[in-house]
Amino acid sequence: MKAIVVEDRAAGTAGMTLVDRPEPQAAINDVVVQVHASGFVPTELEWPSTWTDRRDRDRTPSIPGHELAGVVTALGYGTTGLSLGQRVFGLADWHRDGTLAEYVAMEARNLAPLPGDVDFTVGASLPISGLTAWQGLFQHGRLQAGQSVIAHGAAGAVGSMVTQLAREAGAYVIGTGRAADRQKAIGFGANAFVDLDNDALEDVGRVDLVFDVIGGDIQKRSAALIRAGGTLVTAVGPAEARPVDGLVIDFVVESDRAQLSEIVQRVRDGRLRTNIGKVARLDEAIAAFNSTERRAGKPVIRVRP
């Protein structure tokens, strides 16, 4: 099978190569999925799990990519809940070979059924962005109707999901980003927008929840805006700032079949819009990942036409 691999951590996306690899086999509780589309997060190449296994042993050359939509082609021993030929989407294990390949072996529990009226490209764009937003808002942030939320990067892949899900839940959403992102963020449902280059973030006043995807100075300034009992949720590693009278939670997104099903149902009925950026074929992917153009939305690779 064709697959993109990485071997040199220092090379970043420039070190990617397209090679032939053996097709994976399904272990116990696994399925093999014929990948039709794959999502990709550029920061994956900075994650230790891309380069080592759970015992910290080198596992290169490794296949990156963890989001996929495709069709089940093989079932491992003991696998239940999925069937051969079923359309699925989901989030592959961080420490195993990923989805920038024609086939991937992964645990069945990390996949959810993909309805027939949802395109594979759409399905592959949802797992990380959708689950990160869902878990940050509802599991960790315990968002309630009537609360106020700062959604950093509101025009981005995760931020646009945060904005839409928070609005649906009855929150007042303040999106942030660059000046060029204003209309896109408002289009995704932000009630207000802060241009982080030119506006004063502090002018928004106190809020109940900050969803941070930036870190650094923006995170520190945001922490000071959280009212008593509020929460700073961050998806960019251990927080450097803490609200005076609130909580700070940093988390790593996890696959969840029920949540994936909730997310894709919202796409089907129009409550949730995807934020797909550049779409490229597998043989174009390396050039796409190394483009100097600013990324707008979620990059998706069409592995099968």
Side-chain angles (χ1 to χ4, degrees), residues 56-258:
D56 204 33
R57 298 173 300 194
D58 180 85
R59 70 177 191 88
T60 57
S62 58
I63 301 172
H66 294 283
E67 301 167 280
L68 83 157
V71 174
V72 175
T73 58
L75 303 175
Y77 178 79
T79 298
T80 59
L82 297 175
S83 58
L84 291 174
Q86 186 170 10
R87 301 172 92 249
V88 291
F89 75 119
L91 185 60
D93 190 286
W94 308 124
H95 288 86
R96 295 177 64 174
D97 276 344
T99 60
L100 288 175
E102 293 179 317
Y103 294 87
V104 63
M106 59 187 290
E107 288 185 83
R109 64 177 180 151
N110 291 333
L111 292 161
L114 182 69
D117 57 354
V118 178
D119 185 78
F120 288 115
T121 299
V122 171
S125 75
L126 295 173
I128 289 181
S129 301
L131 289 172
T132 299
W134 187 282
Q135 292 168 16
L137 288 172
F138 305 126
Q139 280 184 231
H140 304 300
R142 300 188 180 277
L143 181 67
Q144 301 293 321
Q147 292 186 325
S148 53
V149 177
I150 291 177
H152 284 308
V158 174
S160 60
M161 291 286 175
V162 171
T163 299
Q164 293 176 87
L165 290 172
R167 275 297 302 272
E168 186 198 7
Y172 181 87
V173 181
I174 303 155
T176 79
R178 298 179 178 177
D181 298 328
R182 182 183 300 273
Q183 290 307 313
K184 190 173 182 180
I186 297 297
F188 278 116
N191 298 95
F193 183 82
V194 176
D195 171 2
L196 293 175
D197 293 326
N198 300 297
D199 299 334
L201 178 61
E202 290 71 16
D203 287 349
V204 305
R206 299 287 179 174
V207 297
D208 297 291
L209 189 151
V210 171
F211 201 119
D212 171 45
V213 294
I214 299 175
D217 181 61
I218 294 297
Q219 182 191 92
K220 293 175 184 176
R221 291 164 60 194
S222 299
L225 302 178
I226 293 173
R227 59 171 53 104
T231 307
L232 168 66
V233 174
T234 179
V236 291
E240 301 174 39
R242 183 175 294 275
V244 175
D245 294 310
L247 297 173
V248 59
I249 298 173
D250 65 87
F251 74 102
V252 176
V253 64
E254 298 178 347
S255 190
D256 186 293
R257 181 178 290 174

